[in-house]
Amino acid sequence: MPVSTLLLVHEPEAICLKRLLAEGFDREHAAEISSYLAQSTDLAAEFDALSQACEAHGLAFHQVELDQAPAALAGQERQRTLVWTLTDGIAYFRGGAAPALARLNGLSVMGADDSLFALCQDKFRSGAVLGALGLPVPAAGLARNGEWLVGPPASSRGWFVKPNRLGAKIGIWPDSHCHDLGAALELSRRIFSAYRDDALVQPYVPGRNVRASFLGVNRQDGSEALGISFVDSGSDFQTMSDSLALYGETGEAAKMRGTYAEPELAAVLDTWPEADRKIRELAASMIRGLGLRDVFSLDLRVVDDNTVHLIEFEVCPGLPCFDFRAYCKSQWGLGLPEAMAKAAANRLTDVGSKAI
């Protein structure tokens, strides 16, 4: 019989879409924004498998929609309950409230504390903190609807422009790499018009795209358990349309049409071992200095001279995404439900024995 409980809190894609429409977003852009929550849609099909995997580890599993979280978390037994936030957000999405609700109820969480859930959702602020820690993050300017809030750094390679508080490649277009600041300001106007967001303007960083994924299946796991892979999509960077074709209802439609194509993953260690070493050292610094733990991901660009650029980090990575599934299989030899259940069970072993 299960003796402990895993509560997986998620914000459904459809509820977010309805709320955005009520706030006055047009349907096209509301659908783009809510697609960020496609992992909630995608993982729903595996809730039964996750429940079975949890039961095998002595856990009761309950999926909790975000709007029901205040009631669901209240009164839970502190020493036998773990809260795992599947979908985050502090602006367009609201899942960042879940770890704060857990703390309010004295419950342990899987992952970083709630302050990092807020920090990583604001690219400009998180970049400032990462830079202060001495990490190799590109400097950035910030624009709002065609006006500079913070002037951009000089760049001989042009600039890359993206929304400040949106993920999943939302608001990234084929011309997001621009070559003059007038174009950068025009992109900020487009971003503000479509998404009501500021625009981050960074010097363009060359190199290959790398994703570093982490799930601490065992309590002692550190940066050695990272899965570090090149993510090659056939283009310099992924756009919003590329991302939409991989997840949620759009991804399922692409599978039905036979047009679904995942980017290729290749272990960085196999060909660029020095870059792999630098990324592990970087991650260890973030674990020590920033407080990353349990589950997270890093997005990086790596140049062929082994120069590493940290683009952003996530404390609530897309677990059902192809790259995280591949990581669970290659690193742990487990499917996603089994890896999640084992990680949660081991995380609960020290609940109640010390402050979490």
Side-chain angles (χ1 to χ4, degrees):
M1 293 291 291
V3 295
S4 298
T5 300
L6 172 63
L7 301 178
L8 186 72
V9 183
H10 63 102
E11 182 177 7
E13 191 175 358
I15 290 176
C16 178
L17 174 61
K18 182 178 179 180
R19 177 170 49 80
L20 292 172
L21 291 173
E23 292 175 3
F25 285 89
D26 65 64
R27 179 165 290 277
E28 176 187 357
H29 293 123
E32 291 170 0
I33 294 169
S34 61
S35 72
Y36 179 84
L37 302 176
Q39 58 179 312
S40 180
T41 303
D42 290 343
L43 193 59
E46 296 176 89
F47 284 158
D48 287 345
L50 186 52
S51 179
Q52 293 171 12
C54 284
E55 186 174 1
H57 286 277
L59 301 177
F61 168 75
H62 299 288
Q63 60 85 16
V64 179
E65 292 190 6
L66 183 63
D67 289 333
Q68 279 70 57
L73 271 59
Q76 292 288 338
E77 188 174 353
R78 295 186 177 191
Q79 295 185 354
R80 293 185 175 181
T81 305
L82 181 68
V83 177
W84 193 329
T85 303
L86 175 65
T87 52
D88 57 8
I90 58 168
Y92 308 89
F93 322 106
R94 301 168 298 145
L101 283 172
R103 184 159 60 89
L104 180 66
N105 286 280
L107 303 176
S108 299
V109 297
M110 184 74 175
D113 67 49
D114 41 303
S115 66
L116 287 189
F117 274 76
L119 181 65
C120 74
Q121 289 284 305
D122 188 312
K123 298 181 181 69
F124 185 77
R125 292 177 180 175
S126 66
V129 172
L130 294 171
L133 287 171
L135 298 170
V137 60
L142 192 68
R144 179 179 298 157
N145 196 22
E147 296 184 5
W148 293 113
L149 301 178
V150 178
S155 175
S156 61
R157 297 177 178 270
W159 293 266
F160 199 82
V161 184
K162 56 187 175 182
N164 186 46
R165 298 178 300 168
L166 282 165
K169 310 301 183 291
I170 299 165
I172 295 179
W173 299 289
D175 59 349
S176 290
H177 176 200
C178 60
H179 296 276
D180 66 79
L181 292 177
L185 287 177
E186 182 55 38
L187 282 165
S188 80
R189 293 186 187 96
R190 193 192 307 173
I191 287 170
F192 190 84
S193 175
Y195 309 113
R196 308 176 190 176
D197 201 4
D198 296 337
L200 191 77
V201 182
Q202 293 177 308
Y204 170 79
V205 175
R208 296 176 67 182
N209 296 313
V210 171
R211 169 65 59 83
S213 300
F214 180 84
L215 177 64
V217 167
N218 306 299
R219 293 297 299 129
Q220 70 274 18
D221 291 330
S223 61
E224 76 286 345
L226 279 170
I228 305 173
S229 299
F230 292 115
V231 184
D232 294 321
S233 62
S235 58
D236 184 33
F237 56 89
Q238 278 190 293
T239 65
M240 177 176 56
S241 59
D242 294 331
S243 182
L244 285 174
L246 291 173
Y247 313 117
E249 294 179 0
T250 309
E252 287 301 317
K255 291 175 183 177
M256 293 292 290
R257 294 193 303 269
T259 59
Y260 178 84
E262 295 175 352
E264 294 183 4
L265 299 173
V268 173
L269 179 63
D270 290 345
T271 53
W272 293 14
E274 178 62 13
D276 180 274
R277 183 189 66 79
K278 287 184 175 181
I279 293 169
R280 292 184 193 279
E281 288 183 352
L282 183 155
S285 295
M286 296 180 74
I287 291 170
R288 182 175 60 255
L290 200 61
L292 296 185
R293 69 177 189 188
D294 295 338
V295 57
F296 61 85
S297 67
L298 312 176
D299 287 326
L300 311 104
R301 295 272 275 186
V302 181
V303 188
D304 55 10
D305 65 358
N306 293 306
T307 298
V308 172
H309 301 275
L310 174 63
I311 304 302
E312 58 190 52
F313 72 100
E314 279 284 352
V315 295
C316 191
L319 300 182
C321 298
F322 71 95
D323 55 299
F324 205 89
R325 291 180 186 276
Y327 161 69
C328 290
K329 182 63 67 175
S330 62
Q331 178 66 31
W332 303 116
L334 297 171
L336 180 62
E338 293 77 16
M340 291 177 65
K342 186 174 181 180
N346 286 332
R347 179 73 173 85
L348 271 161
T349 58
D350 63 356
V351 171
S353 65
K354 60 182 178 179
I356 304 287

